[in-house]
Amino acid sequence: LLDPRGRVSTINPAALRLLSLTRAQVRHRPAIELLRTVLPGEDPVEELYRAARTEREVVLVGGDDGEIPVLLRGYRVGVPPWVLLTLRDLTQVRRMQQELRRHERLATLGQLCAGVAHEIRNPLAGIGTSAQVLLRRFEPRDERARFVSVILEEVARLDRIVASLL
Protein backbone atom coordinates (compact mmCIF):
# COMPACT_ATOMS: atom_id res chain seq x y z
CA LEU A 1 0.00 0.00 0.00
CA LEU A 2 1.50 3.33 -1.10
CA ASP A 3 0.63 6.50 0.79
CA PRO A 4 -0.25 9.78 -0.99
CA ARG A 5 3.47 10.73 -1.05
CA GLY A 6 4.35 7.51 -2.91
CA ARG A 7 5.97 5.82 0.08
CA VAL A 8 5.42 2.20 1.06
CA SER A 9 2.99 2.16 3.96
CA THR A 10 2.34 -1.57 4.20
CA ILE A 11 3.75 -4.63 2.43
CA ASN A 12 2.90 -8.29 2.92
CA PRO A 13 5.42 -11.14 3.36
CA ALA A 14 4.67 -12.59 -0.09
CA ALA A 15 5.59 -9.29 -1.77
CA LEU A 16 8.78 -9.09 0.29
CA ARG A 17 9.77 -12.59 -0.89
CA LEU A 18 8.93 -11.76 -4.49
CA LEU A 19 10.99 -8.56 -4.36
CA SER A 20 13.78 -10.24 -2.33
CA LEU A 21 13.59 -7.51 0.28
CA THR A 22 13.14 -7.23 4.04
CA ARG A 23 10.51 -5.16 5.82
CA ALA A 24 13.25 -2.81 7.10
CA GLN A 25 14.46 -2.17 3.54
CA VAL A 26 10.96 -1.21 2.46
CA ARG A 27 9.12 0.60 5.25
CA HIS A 28 8.39 4.26 4.39
CA ARG A 29 10.78 4.28 1.43
CA PRO A 30 9.60 5.86 -1.80
CA ALA A 31 8.04 3.14 -3.94
CA ILE A 32 9.87 4.43 -7.00
CA GLU A 33 13.23 3.61 -5.35
CA LEU A 34 12.13 0.05 -4.66
CA LEU A 35 10.53 -0.52 -8.01
CA ARG A 36 13.50 0.87 -9.93
CA THR A 37 15.71 -1.80 -8.37
CA VAL A 38 13.48 -4.54 -9.74
CA LEU A 39 12.02 -2.75 -12.80
CA PRO A 40 15.00 -0.99 -14.35
CA GLY A 41 14.15 1.82 -16.73
CA GLU A 42 10.47 1.96 -15.76
CA ASP A 43 8.51 4.40 -13.58
CA PRO A 44 5.14 2.79 -12.89
CA VAL A 45 4.46 4.89 -9.77
CA GLU A 46 3.46 8.06 -11.61
CA GLU A 47 1.12 6.02 -13.78
CA LEU A 48 -0.38 4.41 -10.68
CA TYR A 49 -1.32 7.77 -9.20
CA ARG A 50 -2.74 9.11 -12.49
CA ALA A 51 -5.02 6.21 -13.42
CA ALA A 52 -7.79 4.83 -11.25
CA ARG A 53 -6.69 1.34 -12.23
CA THR A 54 -3.66 0.04 -14.12
CA GLU A 55 -2.58 -3.42 -15.13
CA ARG A 56 0.41 -4.65 -17.07
CA GLU A 57 2.93 -7.42 -17.20
CA VAL A 58 6.47 -6.61 -16.16
CA VAL A 59 9.62 -8.57 -15.48
CA LEU A 60 11.24 -8.25 -12.08
CA VAL A 61 15.02 -8.55 -12.18
CA GLY A 62 17.51 -9.45 -9.50
CA GLY A 63 16.95 -11.53 -6.40
CA ASP A 64 17.57 -15.24 -6.14
CA ASP A 65 15.35 -16.24 -9.08
CA GLY A 66 16.79 -13.93 -11.77
CA GLU A 67 13.95 -12.63 -13.93
CA ILE A 68 10.40 -13.15 -12.71
CA PRO A 69 7.37 -12.39 -14.92
CA VAL A 70 4.81 -10.49 -12.84
CA LEU A 71 1.36 -9.03 -13.36
CA LEU A 72 1.45 -5.57 -11.78
CA ARG A 73 -1.91 -4.10 -10.84
CA GLY A 74 -2.51 -0.75 -9.24
CA TYR A 75 -5.72 0.64 -7.78
CA ARG A 76 -6.00 4.31 -6.77
CA VAL A 77 -8.24 4.80 -3.74
CA GLY A 78 -9.29 7.76 -1.60
CA VAL A 79 -8.45 11.46 -1.55
CA PRO A 80 -5.63 12.24 -1.34
CA PRO A 81 -4.92 9.15 -3.41
CA TRP A 82 -3.41 6.01 -1.92
CA VAL A 83 -2.41 3.20 -4.25
CA LEU A 84 -2.96 -0.47 -3.63
CA LEU A 85 -0.30 -2.25 -5.66
CA THR A 86 -0.52 -5.99 -6.28
CA LEU A 87 2.14 -8.19 -7.83
CA ARG A 88 1.21 -11.63 -9.12
CA ASP A 89 4.05 -14.01 -9.91
CA LEU A 90 3.38 -15.45 -13.37
CA THR A 91 6.28 -17.93 -13.32
CA GLN A 92 4.04 -20.99 -12.89
CA VAL A 93 1.56 -19.71 -15.46
CA ARG A 94 4.39 -19.24 -18.00
CA ARG A 95 5.69 -22.75 -17.27
CA MET A 96 2.24 -24.23 -17.81
CA GLN A 97 1.87 -22.26 -21.07
CA GLN A 98 5.24 -23.56 -22.28
CA GLU A 99 4.27 -27.10 -21.30
CA LEU A 100 0.96 -26.73 -23.14
CA ARG A 101 2.76 -25.48 -26.28
CA ARG A 102 5.15 -28.43 -26.00
CA HIS A 103 2.24 -30.89 -25.73
CA GLU A 104 0.54 -29.25 -28.72
CA ARG A 105 3.74 -29.61 -30.77
CA LEU A 106 4.05 -33.27 -29.74
CA ALA A 107 0.40 -33.91 -30.66
CA THR A 108 0.97 -32.30 -34.05
CA LEU A 109 4.09 -34.41 -34.54
CA GLY A 110 2.11 -37.54 -33.61
CA GLN A 111 -0.57 -36.70 -36.18
CA LEU A 112 2.12 -36.10 -38.79
CA CYS A 113 3.76 -39.45 -37.99
CA ALA A 114 0.42 -41.25 -38.22
CA GLY A 115 -0.25 -39.65 -41.62
CA VAL A 116 3.21 -40.52 -42.94
CA ALA A 117 2.91 -44.09 -41.63
CA HIS A 118 -0.44 -44.48 -43.38
CA GLU A 119 0.99 -43.12 -46.64
CA ILE A 120 3.95 -45.53 -46.41
CA ARG A 121 1.91 -48.57 -45.42
CA ASN A 122 -0.52 -48.35 -48.36
CA PRO A 123 2.09 -48.71 -51.13
CA LEU A 124 4.05 -51.14 -48.95
CA ALA A 125 1.00 -53.43 -48.76
CA GLY A 126 0.67 -53.24 -52.55
CA ILE A 127 4.34 -54.12 -53.02
CA GLY A 128 4.08 -57.02 -50.56
CA THR A 129 0.94 -58.43 -52.18
CA SER A 130 2.40 -58.16 -55.67
CA ALA A 131 5.61 -59.85 -54.52
CA GLN A 132 3.63 -62.74 -52.98
CA VAL A 133 1.71 -63.25 -56.22
CA LEU A 134 4.96 -63.12 -58.17
CA LEU A 135 6.66 -65.57 -55.79
CA ARG A 136 3.91 -68.14 -56.42
CA ARG A 137 4.64 -68.02 -60.16
CA PHE A 138 8.27 -69.12 -59.74
CA GLU A 139 9.64 -72.52 -58.88
CA PRO A 140 11.30 -72.57 -55.46
CA ARG A 141 14.74 -73.12 -57.05
CA ASP A 142 14.29 -70.27 -59.54
CA GLU A 143 16.85 -67.47 -58.99
CA ARG A 144 14.05 -64.91 -59.40
CA ALA A 145 12.19 -66.44 -56.43
CA ARG A 146 15.18 -65.59 -54.22
CA PHE A 147 14.99 -61.92 -55.28
CA VAL A 148 11.24 -61.78 -54.63
CA SER A 149 11.85 -63.32 -51.18
CA VAL A 150 14.31 -60.51 -50.45
CA ILE A 151 11.65 -57.98 -51.48
CA LEU A 152 9.15 -59.61 -49.07
CA GLU A 153 11.70 -59.56 -46.22
CA GLU A 154 12.42 -55.88 -46.83
CA VAL A 155 8.70 -55.07 -46.99
CA ALA A 156 8.28 -56.82 -43.61
CA ARG A 157 11.25 -54.87 -42.20
CA LEU A 158 9.82 -51.55 -43.40
CA ASP A 159 6.45 -52.47 -41.91
CA ARG A 160 8.12 -53.12 -38.52
CA ILE A 161 9.87 -49.73 -38.73
CA VAL A 162 6.56 -47.99 -39.47
CA ALA A 163 4.90 -49.87 -36.59
CA SER A 164 7.66 -48.77 -34.19
CA LEU A 165 7.30 -45.19 -35.46
CA LEU A 166 3.64 -45.31 -34.51
Side-chain angles (χ1 to χ4, degrees):
L1 183 63
L2 309 179
D3 69 19
R5 295 178 300 159
R7 296 185 177 277
V8 177
S9 173
T10 306
I11 188 167
N12 68 17
L16 289 171
R17 279 192 306 278
L18 189 61
L19 298 169
S20 298
L21 297 170
T22 65
R23 198 170 294 281
Q25 291 173 304
V26 173
R27 192 94 169 131
H28 301 294
R29 274 186 61 197
I32 189 61
E33 285 179 24
L34 297 172
L35 292 175
R36 274 200 182 126
T37 62
V38 292
L39 295 171
E42 297 196 37
D43 185 358
V45 175
E46 183 181 326
E47 179 186 336
L48 293 170
Y49 280 94
R50 271 195 331 260
R53 182 175 188 270
T54 61
E55 177 177 308
R56 64 185 165 132
E57 289 187 22
V58 296
V59 177
L60 299 179
V61 295
D64 299 333
D65 297 327
E67 294 187 347
I68 304 169
V70 171
L71 179 63
L72 182 137
R73 288 184 180 147
Y75 306 91
R76 192 180 65 205
V77 291
V79 177
W82 288 65
V83 172
L84 175 62
L85 182 64
T86 65
L87 302 169
R88 180 176 174 220
D89 186 347
L90 298 174
T91 304
Q92 191 64 24
V93 172
R94 293 295 176 264
R95 280 190 195 126
M96 289 186 328
Q97 288 171 339
Q98 287 174 342
E99 189 67 17
L100 180 61
R101 282 192 296 273
R102 183 171 124 359
H103 284 288
E104 287 170 349
R105 285 192 308 270
L106 288 174
T108 301
L109 183 60
Q111 290 171 346
L112 177 67
C113 284
V116 168
H118 177 74
E119 291 303 317
I120 290 173
R121 275 190 162 163
N122 282 343
L124 208 53
I127 293 168
T129 302
S130 297
Q132 287 173 348
V133 169
L134 193 57
L135 184 63
R136 281 190 235 126
R137 292 188 177 179
F138 299 128
E139 292 294 324
R141 292 175 197 228
D142 189 331
E143 183 71 16
R144 294 174 293 182
R146 190 171 61 85
F147 290 120
V148 173
S149 294
V150 170
I151 291 171
L152 288 170
E153 289 169 12
E154 293 303 314
V155 164
R157 187 172 72 85
L158 286 171
D159 192 54
R160 285 190 302 274
I161 291 170
V162 170
S164 70
L165 177 68
L166 291 173

